[in-house]
Amino acid sequence: MKWKNLTSQNSVLTALLHPLRFQSTQSPSSSSYAPIFQFLTGLNLLKLGQQIHAHLILHGLIPNSFLGAKMVAMYASSGDIDSAIALFDRIRQNGSILLYNSIIRACSLYGLSERCIFVFAEMNSVGFRGDYFTFPFVLKSCADLCDVGVGKCVHGKCLRTGLGFDFYVGTSLIDFYVKCGELDDARKVFDEMPVRDVASWNALIAGCMKHGVVCVAEDLFSRMVDKNIVSWTAMISGYTQNGFAERAHKVFDEMINDVSNVKPNWVTVMSILPACAQSSDLDRGRKIHDYADSIGLNSNAFVQTALAAMYAKCGSLSDAQICFRKIPYSKRNLVSWNTMISAYASHGYGSESVSTFNDMIRAGVQPDAITFTGLLSGCSHSGLVDIGLYYFNSIKTQYNIEPTHEHYACVVDLLGRSGRLNKAYELATTMPMPPEASIWGALLSASKTHRNLEIAEISAKKLFVLEPENSGNYVVLSNMYAEAGMWREVNNLRDLLKTRGVKKNPGCSWIEIDGKVHMFLGGDKSHPMSDEIYKFLEQLPEKMKMFGYVAETSFALHDVSDEEREQSLGGHSEKLAVAFGILCTSSGSIVRVTKNLRICGDCHTVMKFVSRIYEREIVVRDVNRFHHFRNGSCSCGDYW
C-alpha cells in the first residue's frame, strides 16, 4: 500500500498502537503485535520497531512463528539483518513455513547465500515443503554462488512440489540457469512453461545477451508481444556489451520514436551511452545527452556519471568534467570518482588523476582496485614515477587492497617509460603472479622507445607464446632488428609469421563528420576525396619543414631507401583521416580521429605541426590513450 502522506501513515499507526496503550487488567495478546510489525515492514522505522519489541518482552510474551515471521521481516527490511537472524534462531524450534520463508527471503536479499541454502535444507529436514515464496529466493542464492548442483536439486524439489511452471518460480529457474551459464537448461525451462509472463522472456533475453548468443536474443525479442522497459533495455545493453553499437543505437532510436509505446528511462540511457564510446560517436552522444535532459535526468547522478564516461571516451574531456561537476559532492560515489580518475589518466593528465584521487579520499570515499588502476595509469602516462611508486606501495599497506596484475602492469609500464628498464624487468620477473601479456607488452614497448634490444627479445618471445596471433609484437621486434641492421633476424621473423599464418593488422583510422563515419586504411585511395587528401599531404612536408620538421623514417623500417621510407609514412591512416578532417570541417573546429593501433612517432610529430600550421586542435584516440594536439604541442608532453 502506498501512503499519500505522513498524516495517513500516522493515523493508521495510532490505530494499531491503541490496544497496547489501553491498559486493563489483561496484558495485550501477541495477536495485537503482528499487524504493527507488518505495518512497520519496509518503512525503515527500526527504532520504533525495537520499542514495540521491548514492549512485547516486558509483558512476558514470546513470539509464536506467525508473529516471529512478521518481526523478522520488519528487522530485515529496516537494515538489521543480525537481529532478524537472532530472533529466528530463538524461535526456530516452533517454526512454520511462514517463518522459514521470512528468514530465507532476508538472507537472500542481504547476500547471505550460504546461510539461505542452509536454512532451506533445515526447513526440508523438519518436514516443511517450500512454496512459490520460498523457491525464487533460494534459487537466487544458488545463482549468486553459481552452485549448479544445488540449484538443480532445488529445481527437482520445485517439480515435485508442482511449482516448476509457476510464473515466479519458472522465471527464477531461468534466471538461475542463465547466471550459471547453463543456457540450454534455461531455454528448456522457458520452452516447457505453459504460460510465460514478460519477466520470463526478459530473463532469457538478458541471459542470451550476457553469454553472447545475440541471434537467439534477437529472435526472442522479435517474438515478444508485450515488451516492457526491461525488454528494450536488455536488448540495448546486450548489443552494447557485445560490441554491436549500431544495433544498440537502432533499438534506442525505435524506442524514442513512434515504433514503441515504451520510452527510455535512466537505466536505458546509461545502457546506450557506452555504445557511443565504442564508436567514438560524440555527436550521437550529445544528442542522447540532450534527450536525457529533456526527460528530466540532468540531476540524476548515475546518468551524469555515465555521460562523463562517454564524453571522456569520445575525446571531450571538458564535457566529461562538466558532467562530473554537476554531481553534488554528497552523491559522488566510488564509480563517479573512478570514472574521472580514469578519464584524466586516458587523456594524459596524470596530475589531475592524482588530485581527483586526493579529493575522493577527503570526501570519505574509500578506493578499490579499479581506482588504483586508473591512478597508476595516469602516473605512467605522465611520467609521475615517484608518485606512482608511492601509491603502488600504499595499495596494500594503507588501503588493505591486494595488488592485481593490472596494478603491476601499470608500474612496469611506469618504470619502462621512464627508462628504468632493468627495474621494470626485475619487477616483472619477481611479482607474486605469473606475468601476463600486458606486462611483457609494456616491457616490449619501453624497450623499443629506449632501444634495448636484449629486453625486447625476451619480452617479444614471451608474447609470441602468450598471444601468438598478435602481429604487432612481431612488427615491433622486426623494426628493432631492422633499425640495428639485423636483416637476417628480420627475415627469420617474416618466415615465422608465414609459418604461423599470422596476418598483420592493417592500420585503420576513422573520423565522423555530419553524422557519417569515414574510414581510412594505410595507403588507402578508395575514398571519394582521395585526390584532395593526398594533394594536401604532398604539400604538407614543405610547410612543416619551414618550422623544422624532419621525417622520422625509423617508423617505416623496411629494407628500402630513406626517400622511399619517407613516402610510405605519408600514407599512414591517421594522417589520411586528419587531412580529410582539415579539408571538410570549418576553420577552428576540433578534428577528432580514432585509430585501431598505437600512433607512430612520425604521425605524432606531424600532428603537432599540423595543429600549429592550421591553428586546429586535433584529438587522436589510439589503442592506448588520447593525444590532444594544440599549437604545436601534445597533451602527453611527448611522454608516451
Side-chain angles (χ1 to χ4, degrees):
M1 180 176 183
K2 293 183 179 179
W3 303 101
K4 292 182 179 180
N5 52 55
L6 190 60
T7 303
S8 58
Q9 271 191 17
N10 290 339
S11 62
V12 174
L13 184 58
T14 300
L16 291 171
L17 293 174
H18 181 71
L20 304 188
R21 291 197 183 104
F22 181 71
Q23 297 296 319
S24 63
T25 55
Q26 287 186 322
S27 296
S29 66
S30 60
S31 61
S32 301
Y33 292 92
I36 301 173
F37 285 112
Q38 182 169 341
F39 175 79
L40 293 176
T41 300
L43 294 183
N44 200 26
L45 296 173
L46 178 60
K47 184 64 72 175
L48 180 57
Q50 290 171 332
Q51 290 172 343
I52 305 299
H53 190 175
H55 189 279
L56 181 149
I57 293 171
L58 287 172
H59 284 79
L61 295 174
I62 299 174
N64 57 25
S65 62
F66 178 78
L67 175 57
K70 304 299 181 185
M71 295 172 70
V72 166
M74 184 279 296
Y75 276 119
S77 72
S78 302
D80 190 354
I81 184 64
D82 292 334
S83 293
I85 292 171
L87 177 62
F88 171 78
D89 287 340
R90 285 198 296 271
I91 59 176
R92 67 200 307 169
Q93 293 81 2
N94 299 315
S96 66
I97 188 169
L98 183 64
L99 179 63
Y100 275 102
N101 279 350
S102 66
I103 196 64
I104 284 172
R105 180 181 188 277
C107 290
S108 177
L109 294 179
Y110 274 83
L112 304 175
S113 303
E114 292 180 351
R115 181 183 285 270
C116 175
I117 293 170
F118 175 80
V119 172
F120 174 71
E122 178 189 293
M123 172 183 173
N124 280 272
S125 69
V126 297
F128 294 115
R129 299 174 66 184
D131 58 17
Y132 54 84
F133 286 112
T134 317
F135 292 117
F137 293 107
V138 177
L139 288 166
K140 178 183 180 299
S141 293
C142 293
D144 290 342
L145 294 171
C146 206
D147 194 328
V148 178
V150 172
K152 287 190 173 183
C153 290
V154 175
H155 186 179
K157 287 194 172 292
C158 294
L159 295 173
R160 287 191 291 275
T161 312
L163 293 171
F165 304 118
D166 174 81
F167 271 164
Y168 303 108
V169 175
T171 300
S172 298
L173 282 165
I174 293 169
D175 189 60
F176 155 70
Y177 281 122
V178 157
K179 287 180 178 175
C180 293
E182 304 290 331
L183 279 184
D184 290 340
D185 286 322
R187 185 61 190 260
K188 185 178 179 182
V189 172
F190 178 83
D191 289 338
E192 290 177 352
M193 290 177 71
V195 181
R196 310 178 190 106
D197 65 353
V198 67
S200 307
W201 290 84
N202 290 343
L204 190 56
I205 287 172
C208 290
M209 282 298 195
K210 178 183 177 182
H211 295 284
V213 191
V214 176
C215 56
V216 176
E218 289 174 328
D219 175 64
L220 290 165
F221 185 72
S222 67
R223 287 164 48 200
M224 282 187 76
V225 177
D226 297 316
K227 302 179 178 76
N228 63 9
I229 186 67
V230 178
S231 318
W232 288 90
T233 302
M235 291 300 293
I236 291 168
S237 176
Y239 278 137
T240 301
Q241 291 166 8
N242 285 283
F244 296 109
E246 279 306 312
R247 296 191 203 177
H249 286 304
K250 182 181 178 183
V251 175
F252 184 80
D253 290 343
E254 288 176 358
M255 279 192 78
I256 62 177
N257 295 326
D258 295 332
V259 176
S260 165
N261 293 323
V262 181
K263 298 306 173 188
N265 62 9
W266 66 275
V267 179
T268 318
V269 171
M270 288 182 63
S271 299
I272 189 60
L273 287 170
C276 302
Q278 284 177 14
S279 55
S280 299
D281 198 337
L282 182 60
D283 289 343
R284 189 168 252 163
R286 284 189 169 132
K287 289 176 183 176
I288 293 171
H289 187 176
D290 290 340
Y291 177 81
D293 285 350
S294 73
I295 60 174
L297 296 178
N298 51 327
S299 61
N300 186 298
F302 298 104
V303 172
Q304 291 301 322
T305 299
L307 283 166
M310 180 276 293
Y311 279 124
K313 291 174 182 177
C314 288
S316 182
L317 184 60
S318 58
D319 283 314
Q321 291 170 314
I322 291 169
C323 291
F324 180 71
R325 288 167 186 159
K326 283 184 179 178
I327 305 172
Y329 218 69
S330 61
K331 292 188 178 180
R332 292 178 186 174
N333 60 15
L334 180 60
V335 176
S336 304
W337 289 106
N338 283 352
T339 295
M340 252 354 263
I341 290 169
S342 297
Y344 283 125
S346 65
H347 285 263
Y349 293 94
S351 296
E352 285 76 3
S353 279
V354 173
S355 174
T356 305
F357 174 81
N358 290 330
D359 288 344
M360 182 184 83
I361 298 301
R362 281 192 290 270
V365 178
Q366 289 302 301
D368 64 0
I370 296 172
T371 313
F372 283 102
T373 300
L375 179 63
L376 294 172
S377 175
C379 293
S380 173
H381 286 310
S382 301
L384 304 175
V385 182
D386 293 337
I387 294 173
L389 291 175
Y390 166 77
Y391 281 118
F392 176 70
N393 292 327
S394 73
I395 292 176
K396 189 170 184 178
T397 57
Q398 191 169 341
Y399 297 99
N400 200 29
I401 298 171
E402 200 66 39
T404 66
H405 188 276
E406 287 74 17
H407 299 143
Y408 280 97
C410 288
V411 177
V412 168
D413 189 51
L414 175 76
L415 293 168
R417 286 175 187 270
S418 66
R420 305 184 194 181
L421 275 167
N422 291 330
K423 198 77 176 174
Y425 179 72
E426 181 185 345
L427 179 62
T429 53
T430 58
M431 55 190 280
M433 68 277 286
E436 296 176 3
S438 58
I439 299 282
W440 296 114
L443 276 173
L444 179 60
S445 178
S447 300
K448 175 189 173 185
T449 301
H450 298 285
R451 291 175 166 78
N452 188 317
L453 189 55
E454 180 185 357
I455 294 180
E457 284 183 316
I458 296 171
S459 303
K461 287 173 182 177
K462 294 285 187 181
L463 289 166
F464 294 164
V465 175
L466 291 169
E467 42 182 33
E469 295 182 0
N470 186 343
S471 63
N473 301 321
Y474 299 89
V475 171
V476 170
L477 184 59
S478 177
N479 282 353
M480 291 185 72
Y481 281 144
E483 188 177 14
M486 301 168 65
W487 297 109
R488 179 183 296 175
E489 285 76 6
V490 171
N491 291 329
N492 289 340
L493 271 181
R494 287 175 180 169
D495 292 339
L496 181 61
L497 277 169
K498 290 178 182 177
T499 302
R500 293 187 173 182
V502 179
K503 301 293 183 181
K504 182 181 176 183
N505 293 327
C508 175
S509 299
W510 58 95
I511 181 172
E512 182 189 348
I513 296 177
D514 296 330
K516 183 179 180 182
V517 176
H518 300 262
M519 190 169 291
F520 298 89
L521 297 173
D524 191 2
K525 293 188 177 181
S526 62
H527 194 275
M529 286 186 60
S530 284
D531 290 343
E532 294 94 324
I533 291 169
Y534 278 93
K535 185 177 180 180
F536 176 93
L537 292 174
E538 286 168 9
Q539 296 171 350
L540 195 56
E542 289 303 316
K543 294 182 179 180
M544 292 192 299
K545 284 173 183 176
M546 293 172 62
F547 291 91
Y549 168 72
V550 177
E552 299 180 50
T553 55
S554 64
F555 295 105
L557 286 169
H558 306 287
D559 195 5
V560 295
S561 68
D562 280 352
E563 183 181 355
E564 290 173 304
R565 293 181 193 175
E566 186 171 336
Q567 289 173 353
S568 73
L569 287 169
H572 280 195
S573 64
E574 57 265 57
K575 287 192 179 87
L576 299 175
V578 168
F580 176 72
I582 297 285
L583 290 168
C584 295
T585 57
S586 58
S587 176
S589 60
I590 300 174
V591 177
R592 302 179 190 275
V593 169
T594 304
K595 184 175 182 179
N596 67 329
L597 303 175
R598 187 171 181 259
I599 186 173
C600 86
D602 183 70
C603 287
H604 190 269
T605 300
V606 167
M607 299 309 167
K608 290 194 290 184
F609 280 99
V610 171
S611 71
R612 182 178 177 185
I613 293 167
Y614 292 94
E615 298 181 347
R616 295 288 200 100
E617 179 179 351
I618 300 168
V619 180
V620 178
R621 173 190 180 184
D622 71 5
V623 72
N624 289 330
R625 60 178 294 167
F626 285 90
H627 296 267
H628 295 255
F629 301 94
R630 300 186 193 95
N631 300 319
S633 63
C634 179
S635 59
C636 72
D638 295 336
Y639 191 86
W640 59 284

